[in-house]
Amino acid sequence: DEDDEDDDARTSRRALLAGKVLFTVGEAFFFPWATEGATRPPSPGDADLAPFSPPWLRSILYSETDAEVKATAKAALLRGEALAAEGKHPEAIEAFETVYATAPREYKMCQRAGLDTSKSYKAMSTRLGDEMDKKGNEAKGTVWWWGRGTRWPGWYIIAYLSARSVFFTAKRDPVGKFTVTEGLFVLVPIWIGLLYALVEYGVPDY
């Protein structure tokens, strides 16, 4: 009976540790990647990608935008800002939307276009809460949510704290502790994954 109780306790504690590991993996990869996929501007072919399929995962990774395409988007951005400065906000918004359509994976450029879009809508607003005001808030919110994807350091900070909790809980726990082999194949990949995510994606461009 005591052996059965010990087995149950070991299983229960290992299940707790396994749950912490899954949470760590979720914070480091699943949540930021899912947020990125849900909030980034649509790009040609995105609709055909099944979430978390290999092609979808590859699409989340950074890819260099063609220099000519990037230059076209930058020209649209500058044109829109010039129009906004002249008070021609509808035309400016059209130019800003061209940035998103032309270079949807250029986060910094699209972020700037989105914030400029919000300012133009706000400039056309006549009272708080009217249609233009709401569109301005929506444009700003779109930028904010995209910044909560793979670029947001909060995911990785929480994942780090979770991984640390897993490590020290396992180290101190005489019953449910991980073996050296489990540590090498579970904890080490988590650390490497966190470093890769930070190096690959960096922090949001505010």
Side-chain angles (χ1 to χ4, degrees):
D1 291 339
E2 290 183 0
D3 289 341
D4 290 340
E5 290 179 1
D6 289 342
D7 288 341
D8 290 342
R10 185 179 297 109
T11 299
S12 176
R13 294 184 185 185
R14 284 186 179 275
L16 176 62
L17 289 172
K20 288 185 176 182
V21 169
L22 289 175
F23 181 77
T24 300
V25 172
E27 290 290 342
F29 300 103
F30 180 82
F31 298 137
W33 286 46
T35 303
E36 183 78 14
T39 59
R40 64 183 179 176
S43 183
D46 282 355
D48 299 327
L49 301 178
F52 291 95
S53 65
W56 184 91
L57 293 172
R58 285 194 295 271
S59 76
I60 294 291
L61 298 175
Y62 175 76
S63 60
E64 186 69 29
T65 302
D66 180 79
E68 186 175 343
V69 172
K70 192 172 181 179
T72 300
K74 183 64 177 292
L77 175 63
L78 296 177
R79 184 173 68 255
E81 290 180 338
L83 289 167
E86 296 173 5
K88 300 176 180 178
H89 295 292
E91 295 89 342
I93 291 172
E94 185 176 347
F96 297 142
E97 290 175 347
T98 299
V99 177
Y100 276 89
T102 305
R105 294 294 184 262
E106 288 296 322
Y107 175 80
K108 182 177 287 188
M109 195 182 302
C110 287
Q111 179 196 48
R112 181 169 156 184
L115 293 176
D116 285 340
T117 299
S118 177
K119 292 176 183 177
S120 285
Y121 275 125
K122 291 286 187 178
M124 291 189 292
S125 172
T126 57
R127 70 179 189 283
L128 187 66
D130 65 10
E131 184 180 0
M132 293 296 106
D133 183 62
K134 290 179 180 178
K135 286 186 175 181
N137 291 334
E138 183 179 347
K140 189 173 183 180
T142 297
V143 169
W144 190 92
W145 277 111
W146 189 12
R148 306 285 79 73
T150 54
R151 294 166 184 79
W152 189 52
W155 297 121
Y156 311 116
I157 293 171
I158 296 171
Y160 165 77
L161 295 175
S162 298
R164 189 175 184 277
S165 175
V166 170
F167 176 78
F168 284 105
T169 298
K171 186 177 180 181
R172 290 195 301 263
D173 193 336
V175 176
K177 65 181 180 181
F178 283 116
T179 63
V180 173
T181 300
E182 287 174 308
L184 288 173
F185 286 96
V186 177
L187 297 178
V188 171
I190 288 174
W191 282 106
I192 293 175
L194 288 173
L195 289 174
Y196 172 81
L198 287 172
V199 171
E200 183 70 15
Y201 296 111
V203 297
D205 300 307
Y206 289 114

